[in-house]
Structure formats: structure tokens, C-alpha cells
Amino acid sequence: MKTNIIILFLLGLGINAGAQQDYLSREAYRDKVASYSQVLKQQRLNTLASTEARKIAMTGFLPKIDITAEGTANLNHLDMWNSPAGQYRPYTYQALATLGQPLYTGGALNAQKNMAKADESLARLSEELTMDQIHYQSDAVYWNASAAHAMLQAAKQYEDIVNQQYNIINDRFSDGAISRTDLLMISTRKKEAELQYIKARQNYTLALQQLNILMGVKPDVPVDSLSDIGTLCEPVQQLSFDEVLNRRADYASTEVNIAKSEAQRRAALSKYNPQVNMFLATGWDTGVAYMGQTVVHTPIAGLNVNIPIFRWGARFKTNRQQKAYIGIQKLQQSYISDGILEEFSAANTKLTETEQQVKTAKENMALADENLDLATFSYNEGKASMVDVLSAQLSWTQAHTNLINALLAEKMAVAEYRKVISE
């Protein structure tokens, strides 16, 4: 007997473990959607490309080595190809290896480096913003599927309630205890309940298809278990607006864009500053006309200096132009800040209001349950009319629908708040 108890206990553990594996939590669904998201993968590749672009910009500070070779032949004098030394030969050639090093580029290299760093930061922030949007989308789809399942259960329960009453009335009609009017009224309500269940089943099927597709699974793959729509919401962080701004990727992007615009201004002005470059070259060169002399190896060192003097005021106009672009970015930052404030205020309001909606909907559901029980009992006892029963049934299904919608609105309010605070 003791052995049997142990076996049953182990079997129970196995069943529970299997049920836990089949259960799909909101957090697990978030991870599945994020790992499959093609948009997020694109953003990550964009970040990788931006990182490589920054590394490329850094190479501008390093020496460069080039090897060049060139040869020409005068086709009109090919007969002089092997003429004696000191006489014209119809070909030339050169081969050079050059080491170049920029000494001062007017700030262009530093500006390009800073712009590349800004682009990399923007790519990372865009990836973070995409992740926030994916989390919100996955929460919305998840809770919509949970609500659709609750609607399906409510439709089934409503259909059972109507069928139960229909069976009672049909038996009474067969016994001649009631008129056909009551039977027709409950029959009509029975068909309405069947139609409501069919619609609920369709909505639930569509919600599951969307749930599966978003995480990269075939639409018809069954989902065994989701969190109930009535599950208590996890507490959210209560943050101030300044704290939210510091967490938002889109606001951080405005800071980076301002810095990038400043780097672009320096890059635009760099061409009006002095440029200094040095080079070392070595190789062989016959010259423009080759006279058959011995071509010697010639090392060369050079320094190139360019100082812009007069450009018709282009430098000052360029500076004003770039400062205008910086001003645009600062105004964009203010615009983004206002948008975040609007989202944050709306999210806080929805948190408070949806909590009250759920409370009221639960109270209304309790009243509808009591009203349906009372109306059904009274009708069965001959103390109420069929109209009272149908009205109570309608109130019950409406109350149940309102409760599920309120619970869904509460879940979506929490999801929206988490998106706003970038959680």
C-alpha cells in the first residue's frame, strides 16, 4: 500500500512538471517574441554595421601605405623599343610605394570619429527602443489571447445556462404547463447563445494564430495554457518624470543627435582650416620621356601644407547653417520631451482608472450573478415571467463581457506604463 502511494505521488509530480512545461508565461512569451523578431535582428545588424563604421573612422588617424605602378607605350615608335642609351624609347614606367600620414586636417578626422561614435550610439538606442516596442507588442498580443480565451469560456458558460433553462422550459411545454411563447423566447435566446459562442471561438482562434506567428511558430500549433486574464498585475515601479526621461532611448537619442550635429559643424568648417600632410615615397620612375638611361631607386620625403585664405565668406555662412541644424535638434529634443510627458501622464491615468473599472465591473458581475439566480428561481417557481429571465441572462452576459474588457484594459494599462518607463 505504501509503495502504491509513493508511485502515485511520483506520477503526480510528473504530471505537474509536464503542466508547468506546457504553461506559457508572459515573460517567457516576451523572450520568444524577442528571439524571433526580424525587426530586432535588423536593428542588431545595424548596430554591428555602425560599430564597424566607427572602427573605420579611427583608421583615418593611422599611416597609410600605397603601392602604385604605371606603364605607357607610344605605338607610333615601337621600332625604337631597344634604341641605344641616350636616345628616345617609346615607353615609360614607374613603381612607387608611398607612406602617408595626416598631421593636421583642420579637425575633420576628429569630427568624423565623433560622428561615427554618435551613429553607433544611435543604433544602440534604436535597438533598445525596438526592444521596448516588441515587449509592448508581445504583452498586448498575449493578454488579448488570454482575454479571448476568457470570452470563450464565458460564452460557453452562458450557452450552458441558456441550455439548462431551455431544457426545463421544453419539458414544461411538453407537459402543457406553459405556453409556446415562453418556449419560442428561450429558443431564440438559445440560438443567440450558440452564435455568441461561435464568434468567441473564432476570435480566440485568431488570437492564438497571432500569438503563434509573433513568436515564429506555425499558426495552428496549440497553446496549452496562458495566464488568466484575471491574474493580479505585478506591481510597477513608480517613477518621476525626470527618472523616466533618463530611461527613455528616444530622449537619449536627442542628446546624441545634438552632439552629432556639433561634430557635423566642425567637419563642415574643417575644410576652411589649414591642412598639413607628410609622405615618404620610394620607387622607380623613368620620367615623362624615357631616354634609355639607367633608372635609379629614388626615396622621396614630402610635406604638403594647404592654408585657405579667401572663400567669399563661405566659412561664416557654413557656421550659421550648421548652428541652425543644431537648433533644430534642440527643438526636437523639447518636442520628444513633451511627447514623453504626455505618454507618462496618460499611462498613470489609465493605471488609476482601469483599477477602478475592474473594481466596479466585479461588483456588477456579482449583482448580475445574483440577479440571474433569483430571476431563474422565481420563474421556475412561477413567480416571474420569461422576460425577467431573458433580461437577467442578457445582463449577466453583458456584465461578464464588461468584466473581461475591464481586466484586459487593466493589463494593457500596465503594459503601456512599462513601455513608457522602458521596463
Side-chain angles (χ1 to χ4, degrees):
M1 181 67 180
K2 184 176 181 180
T3 304
N4 293 336
I5 293 175
I6 294 174
I7 293 174
L8 290 174
F9 176 73
L10 292 175
L11 287 174
L13 288 179
I15 293 172
N16 290 334
Q20 290 177 356
Q21 290 175 356
D22 294 336
Y23 170 68
L24 180 63
S25 66
R26 179 187 64 86
E27 294 80 6
Y29 182 67
R30 264 189 172 196
D31 295 337
K32 288 178 180 292
V33 172
S35 64
Y36 175 74
S37 173
Q38 308 302 310
V39 176
L40 185 59
K41 290 176 182 177
Q42 290 177 355
Q43 288 296 336
R44 286 173 176 165
L45 289 175
N46 187 46
T47 301
L48 177 61
S50 299
T51 300
E52 296 303 319
R54 174 184 57 79
K55 295 177 181 178
I56 293 171
M58 295 297 294
T59 63
F61 294 92
L62 304 177
K64 295 178 177 61
I65 299 177
D66 297 315
I67 296 178
T68 59
E70 181 181 349
T72 66
N74 187 339
L75 301 181
N76 289 330
H77 299 282
L78 293 179
D79 57 331
M80 302 176 63
W81 192 272
N82 293 318
S83 61
Q87 295 184 12
Y88 174 78
R89 292 186 180 181
Y91 61 87
T92 63
Y93 64 86
Q94 67 173 0
L96 297 175
T98 306
L99 171 65
Q101 174 64 53
L103 300 179
Y104 180 68
T105 59
L109 290 177
N110 280 324
Q112 290 171 2
K113 177 193 69 175
N114 292 334
M115 286 190 291
K117 285 184 176 180
D119 286 334
E120 182 181 17
S121 297
L122 288 173
R124 294 188 184 280
L125 291 170
S126 180
E127 183 180 335
E128 181 181 339
L129 186 61
T130 300
M131 181 64 79
D132 290 340
Q133 293 170 343
I134 288 173
H135 283 167
Y136 176 73
Q137 183 184 18
S138 63
D139 286 353
V141 171
Y142 183 89
W143 290 122
N144 182 65
S146 178
H149 182 255
M151 287 289 191
L152 180 63
Q153 290 179 320
K156 179 59 178 175
Q157 185 179 357
Y158 178 63
E159 188 179 29
D160 291 341
I161 291 172
V162 175
N163 283 336
Q164 183 179 5
Q165 188 64 28
Y166 171 82
N167 292 333
I168 294 174
I169 294 176
N170 190 41
D171 290 341
R172 289 190 175 184
F173 176 74
S174 299
D175 296 337
I178 58 174
S179 66
R180 182 171 175 78
T181 302
D182 287 358
L183 180 60
L184 290 175
M185 293 173 68
I186 195 63
S187 297
T188 302
R189 181 53 52 87
K190 182 176 181 292
K191 291 300 179 182
E192 290 176 356
E194 291 177 3
L195 180 61
Q196 182 173 325
Y197 178 77
I198 293 172
K199 290 181 178 179
R201 185 176 59 197
Q202 173 186 322
N203 292 336
Y204 179 58
T205 302
L206 293 174
L208 286 185
Q209 290 175 354
Q210 185 180 17
L211 184 87
N212 284 329
I213 291 173
L214 196 62
M215 63 177 174
V217 178
K218 292 183 179 179
D220 56 348
V221 173
V223 178
D224 293 325
S225 178
L226 299 174
S227 294
D228 190 84
I229 192 64
T231 303
L232 291 178
C233 295
E234 299 175 4
V236 295
Q237 300 183 60
Q238 295 297 327
L239 302 177
S240 66
F241 178 63
D242 291 336
E243 290 173 326
V244 172
L245 278 183
N246 292 330
R247 295 166 62 102
R248 288 288 293 258
D250 47 354
Y251 184 78
S253 296
T254 62
E255 296 281 358
V256 177
N257 277 323
I258 292 173
K260 181 181 178 181
S261 295
E262 184 61 36
Q264 289 173 334
R265 184 183 73 86
R266 294 193 183 97
L269 294 177
S270 66
K271 63 182 180 181
Y272 303 107
N273 294 332
Q275 311 282 327
V276 181
N277 298 279
M278 67 170 292
F279 65 91
L280 294 174
T282 183
W284 295 265
D285 188 356
T286 61
V288 177
Y290 182 37
M291 304 303 293
Q293 304 293 337
T294 301
V295 179
V296 298
H297 171 260
T298 306
I300 301 172
L303 184 68
N304 177 270
V305 179
N306 179 38
I307 303 176
I309 301 298
F310 183 66
R311 293 292 187 274
W312 299 97
R315 174 186 176 89
F316 302 103
K317 295 173 184 177
T318 300
N319 190 37
R320 289 195 296 268
Q321 179 194 43
Q322 296 299 321
K323 284 186 175 180
Y325 292 148
I326 295 174
I328 291 173
Q329 294 300 328
K330 290 181 177 179
L331 290 173
Q332 180 68 14
Q333 182 182 53
S334 177
Y335 176 77
I336 293 294
S337 176
D338 290 343
I340 294 174
L341 177 59
E342 182 179 352
E343 292 177 8
F344 182 62
S345 301
N348 276 312
T349 300
K350 289 179 181 179
L351 281 178
T352 303
E353 293 300 324
T354 53
E355 183 180 353
Q356 294 299 319
Q357 290 175 18
V358 170
K359 180 181 177 181
T360 303
K362 287 181 178 179
E363 294 172 352
N364 185 42
M365 189 70 239
L367 293 174
D369 280 332
E370 184 179 356
N371 181 45
L372 178 60
D373 291 340
L374 182 59
T376 303
F377 177 78
S378 298
Y379 176 81
N380 293 337
E381 295 295 322
K383 298 179 180 179
S385 65
M386 175 52 63
V387 175
D388 295 330
V389 175
L390 297 179
S391 177
Q393 290 175 350
L394 181 61
S395 298
W396 185 91
T397 188
Q398 288 177 343
H400 215 143
T401 300
N402 291 337
L403 176 58
I404 295 173
N405 287 334
L407 291 170
L408 177 60
E410 183 184 38
K411 297 298 187 297
M412 292 307 302
V414 172
E416 184 175 343
Y417 182 82
R418 285 178 173 149
K419 176 178 176 290
V420 169
I421 68 174
S422 187
E423 185 179 77

